[in-house]
Amino acid sequence: MHNANSAPLAARRAGPLKGTAQVPGDKSISQRALILGALAEGETRISGLLESGDVHSTAGALRGFGAELTAEGPGRWRVKGTGVGNWKTPGADLDFGNSGTGSRLVMGAMATTPITATFTGDASLRSRPMARVVAPLEAFGVTYEGQGPKALMPLKLHGAKDAKAITAHVATASAQVKSALLLAALNAKGTSKISQDALTRDHSEKMLAAFGAKITVSPRAEGGEVITVEGPAKLTGCSVEVPRDPSSAAFLMAAALIVPGSEISLPAILLNPRRTGLIQTLLEMGARIEIQNRRSSGGEEIGDLIVRHSDLNGVTVPADRAPSMIDEYPILSVAAAFARGKTVMLGLDELRVKESDRLEAIIAGLKANGVRYSVSGDDLTVEGMTEVPGGGTVTTHLDHRIAMSFLTMGLASQKPVTVDDVTMIATSFPEYQDLMSGLGAVMEAP
Ligand code: S3P
């Protein structure tokens, strides 16, 4: 996969990172705020929305279904929804760009309304399996035509008429699949019961409750949880305050940990326990991360992070922690390269179906920069070094998190690290380069 207008960038060692960075809004919550706003009756006012490629792709698609979405200023949006079950067939194909979350959640949201839409996206999204979402949606009565057994995009989805509630178990450790089923349940008659073994991020559940859906979440004796949703649901527009994205903050945190002399502050970061697996892991590695002013904002826990350069030690990250840090393995792998000893990351199978095959992209990046690693099945071990050589060029495969992770490596390696393309960073974190240079990082065209 390659981007026709790619822009390479190199990061190199310079002074310590210092200062405060205002990380933008959480991508998962931003996507959900637009989607629920478009399904609700009345007006939803959003503040702190992430203004990024992925979120804008979702906004464009939602307009196609008949919702009115208006940007009123940076991060401030107003959404006039149609009411559950009132979306219309879009006049054109829906292009979701790079966004797996946007496309998969919208598939669920339209699945129980008798309309048809064609979903497509960039080369990365067109290579990602959609069967994991549309196959479970068949229980509601949807039909679809995708490409091949993985139901790749372009994918045409025909929503079900008079859908009935379902009972389903989500075997995949994916919040996207769970969320698609919960959103589909909104317009299915009766009480749907959706269970999952993994404790994946719960932003959909929280926000559905805030919009007035009848939803319950209960732990199961055998582990995991079961969620019930009553349909047809009436959602009412409300105001949503989007906290700052811990998955974006992760790159700044790791940079401060590995660049000697650094001390940075990251205010008001989302600290939902289902998103903080990286912080937990870094603390176990000996990271000097202080969490101040824990408080609640818009129904989510947030706090201010102070991060200082630290001597890290390798640890073993258990497989059951993966859902709470699923997007953070690329940057953890980079931090691990600077730690003393080995870091073992277990159960990384889901990394293979992200914006790129992230497991492959991580090991190619480590190898290109002289870091030793081993892979056994879905487990990755990174051997830490006192000096990381760097000097490599990393292929990003249209994957924003691979780009930001290896730029981070270059800030502390002996030789600069180049990534072949940074344009995709704008899908999740357009301010990345500005914030990093504000902290004193040096990144320039190679
Ligand atoms: C997301 C869930 C995760 C994550 C993605 C955002 C979400 O994907 O990787 O960046 O907002 O629900 P999976 O649910 O497929 O693990």
Side-chain angles (χ1 to χ4, degrees), residues 55-308:
V55 176
H56 293 162
S57 298
T58 300
L62 294 171
R63 289 188 182 111
F65 288 108
E68 283 175 38
L69 294 93
T70 317
E72 298 194 312
R76 280 193 303 111
W77 283 58
R78 192 158 44 86
V79 182
K80 244 177 104 185
T82 61
V84 170
N86 293 325
W87 280 7
K88 64 177 175 60
T89 290
D93 292 358
L94 305 175
D95 185 350
F96 278 89
N98 198 246
S99 183
T101 305
S103 55
R104 288 169 169 157
L105 268 56
V106 169
M107 285 176 191
M110 69 152 277
T112 45
T113 302
I115 55 176
T116 295
T118 299
F119 291 74
T120 191
D122 68 9
S124 157
L125 190 57
R126 278 187 275 113
S127 74
R128 298 180 67 184
M130 295 299 139
R132 56 171 47 209
V133 175
V134 289
L137 288 173
E138 281 180 304
F140 285 110
V142 308
T143 58
Y144 59 90
E145 295 117 50
Q147 315 297 312
K150 293 185 189 164
L152 302 183
M153 292 179 176
L155 180 144
K156 195 170 191 177
L157 193 62
H158 307 276
K161 190 170 187 301
D162 300 325
K164 306 264 178 317
I166 64 164
T167 295
H169 181 69
V170 181
T172 321
S174 163
Q176 293 175 356
V177 177
K178 170 182 69 175
S179 298
L181 290 171
L182 298 179
L183 294 174
L186 293 173
N187 202 35
K189 196 158 179 242
T191 302
S192 290
K193 286 197 181 83
I194 311 295
S195 59
Q196 192 170 43
D197 298 325
L199 297 178
T200 57
R201 64 191 70 190
D202 57 1
H203 308 304
S204 300
E205 295 88 309
K206 288 186 160 181
M207 207 183 286
L208 279 167
F211 274 78
K214 291 189 178 136
I215 179 166
T216 67
V217 181
S218 328
R220 288 187 315 166
E222 64 270 47
E225 57 195 4
V226 60
I227 304 160
T228 68
V229 176
E230 240 181 84
K234 178 175 150 65
L235 299 186
T236 307
C238 58
S239 54
V240 180
E241 215 176 303
V242 182
R244 300 179 191 276
D245 196 327
S247 299
S248 295
F251 301 106
L252 283 63
M253 287 169 51
L257 291 174
I258 63 173
V259 174
S262 298
E263 174 170 342
I264 66 167
S265 133
L266 305 170
I269 303 294
L270 173 67
L271 293 175
N272 179 316
R274 298 203 184 180
R275 297 288 299 280
T276 49
L278 177 73
I279 296 181
Q280 184 184 352
T281 302
L282 291 170
L283 288 171
E284 288 172 7
M285 293 172 81
R288 295 191 294 159
I289 301 172
E290 244 180 77
I291 303 178
Q292 299 178 343
N293 304 320
R294 273 188 190 268
R295 57 203 186 271
S296 151
S297 167
E300 293 279 7
E301 195 176 327
I302 66 168
D304 305 331
L305 304 183
I306 312 290
V307 187
R308 297 182 178 89

